[in-house]
Amino acid sequence: MSIQATDPQTVARQILGEISGRAANSIDASTRLSDLGLDSLGRLTLAVLLEERTGRPLPDHKMLSVRTVNDLERLLTSSERSA
Amino acid sequence: MTEKPTPTTSRALDAPFIAESAEVAPAARLGARSRIWHHSQVDAGVRIGEDCVLGKGVHVASAAVIGNRVKIQDGCGVFGATLEDGVMLAPGVYLLEDQAPRAVNPSGHLKGRKDWRRDPVTIRYGATIGANSVIAPGVTIGRYALVGIGSVVGHDVPDHGLVMGNPARQLGWSCMCGHRLNDTLACPSCGRLYHQRPYGLSLAT
């Protein structure tokens, strides 16, 4: 059984690491999702895994504006606050 | 055996081609140079424009309207939809039109033509629907939108929208040339640039 983090930053980087094949600790806030090689299928996988692990929906129009890891972490934090 | 059009005059060059095994109703309208391949069926009341290709086993029904230069590949079902010019349906796509599908009405009789309300799909200029996707009744797919393979689309897609999955989600934007745009809404393949508009994207001028 894998241990899954709950804070937005760790969750985001853990999932991005799983999808891109890179070590989570090599991903920093300024990393762009495109630099991680995320294509459209990768973005779909990211959205679905984030929703599954955080239990909160991520609207498509908000995910569309996510370019960097920092953008993603801010989105997750704001959705956590509004939950 | 493969049948090929064998035109002998310039007028014959413009005639649509219908494979021997295809069934095109006499009341259907078929534009110049369009080709209907094996085992396809085009019902009465359907209008198909010029230079279209319907692959093997396509069924177009329920007064569907298809523009010019439309490609509909093998095994698609087009029920009542409007397809603007330049649309492509990859193999196995179904465009549905009944929001409340039932075989029988509440009194138990088989439903007929007047027992349901048409709510057809609209696919706008240049859009592509990926293989084995299903588009729900009433949905509009925007100009140059791209629907990924195996998607189930239940909501409208904006111009140049790139959607995928079941239920389909918007994951980005697609260029006129079919490639995915980068974060700055530029195409890494052809270099075209786009601006965000209320209805999706449009080319930067």
Side-chain angles (χ1 to χ4, degrees):
Chain A
M1 184 181 134
S2 62
I3 297 167
Q4 290 177 353
T6 53
D7 71 284
Q9 179 175 314
T10 313
V11 169
R13 295 184 195 196
Q14 202 169 55
I15 293 173
L16 286 168
E18 289 171 25
I19 297 170
S20 67
R22 283 178 49 170
N25 58 13
S26 72
I27 299 169
D28 60 43
S30 63
T31 305
R32 296 179 351 155
L33 301 196
S34 54
D35 293 336
L36 294 172
L38 258 68
D39 58 8
S40 47
L41 187 56
R43 277 185 168 258
L44 178 62
T45 308
L46 174 66
V48 170
L49 288 178
L50 282 169
E51 288 181 341
E52 280 179 3
R53 294 192 194 166
T54 64
R56 285 184 290 278
L58 292 170
D60 289 354
H61 69 275
K62 289 187 176 172
M63 280 298 286
L64 268 179
S65 60
V66 169
R67 296 178 182 182
T68 64
V69 174
N70 188 44
D71 294 339
L72 184 61
E73 288 166 357
R74 280 194 300 180
L75 173 61
L76 291 175
T77 305
S78 67
S79 76
E80 191 177 50
R81 282 200 198 111
S82 60
Chain B
M1 188 179 118
T2 304
E3 299 152 69
K4 288 183 181 171
T6 52
T8 53
T9 66
S10 59
R11 183 171 239 183
L13 275 172
D14 277 345
F17 167 73
I18 301 169
E20 203 172 308
S21 61
E23 291 181 41
V24 178
R29 281 166 52 183
L30 190 53
R33 298 172 301 279
S34 284
R35 287 169 286 163
I36 313 294
W37 288 100
H38 307 280
H39 304 291
S40 285
Q41 180 178 337
V42 178
D43 292 356
V46 167
R47 287 182 287 157
I48 297 177
E50 299 176 352
D51 299 302
C52 293
V53 181
L54 271 64
K56 183 177 180 179
V58 171
H59 186 192
V60 186
S62 195
V65 178
I66 295 172
N68 300 324
R69 301 177 304 282
V70 170
K71 272 190 178 180
I72 302 179
Q73 299 190 307
D74 298 1
C76 291
V78 177
F79 304 110
T82 298
L83 277 57
E84 294 186 355
D85 296 351
V87 163
M88 175 169 171
L89 306 185
V93 167
Y94 274 80
L95 310 180
L96 307 178
E97 66 167 343
D98 189 352
Q99 290 277 16
R102 293 284 192 215
V104 291
N105 59 28
S107 58
H109 296 102
L110 188 67
K111 282 174 73 171
R113 286 184 176 197
K114 292 179 180 173
D115 291 326
W116 59 286
R117 186 171 62 83
R118 291 182 62 223
D119 194 5
V121 166
T122 300
I123 304 192
R124 303 212 50 216
Y125 186 98
T128 298
I129 313 299
N132 277 337
S133 293
V134 178
I135 314 296
V139 165
T140 295
I141 307 291
R143 290 165 59 88
Y144 289 112
L146 188 57
V147 175
I149 55 174
S151 299
V152 176
V153 184
H155 297 285
D156 291 353
V157 177
D159 290 357
H160 294 272
L162 168 61
V163 303
M164 187 186 289
N166 177 9
R169 304 182 63 157
Q170 191 181 352
L171 305 160
W173 302 97
S174 63
C175 183
M176 292 169 77
C177 73
H179 288 89
R180 182 170 183 265
L181 300 180
N182 64 21
D183 291 344
T184 60
L185 301 181
C187 177
S189 177
C190 70
R192 286 186 176 88
L193 291 168
Y194 293 85
H195 285 320
Q196 183 99 43
R197 305 282 186 216
Y199 47 82
L201 300 187
S202 65
L203 265 178
T205 51

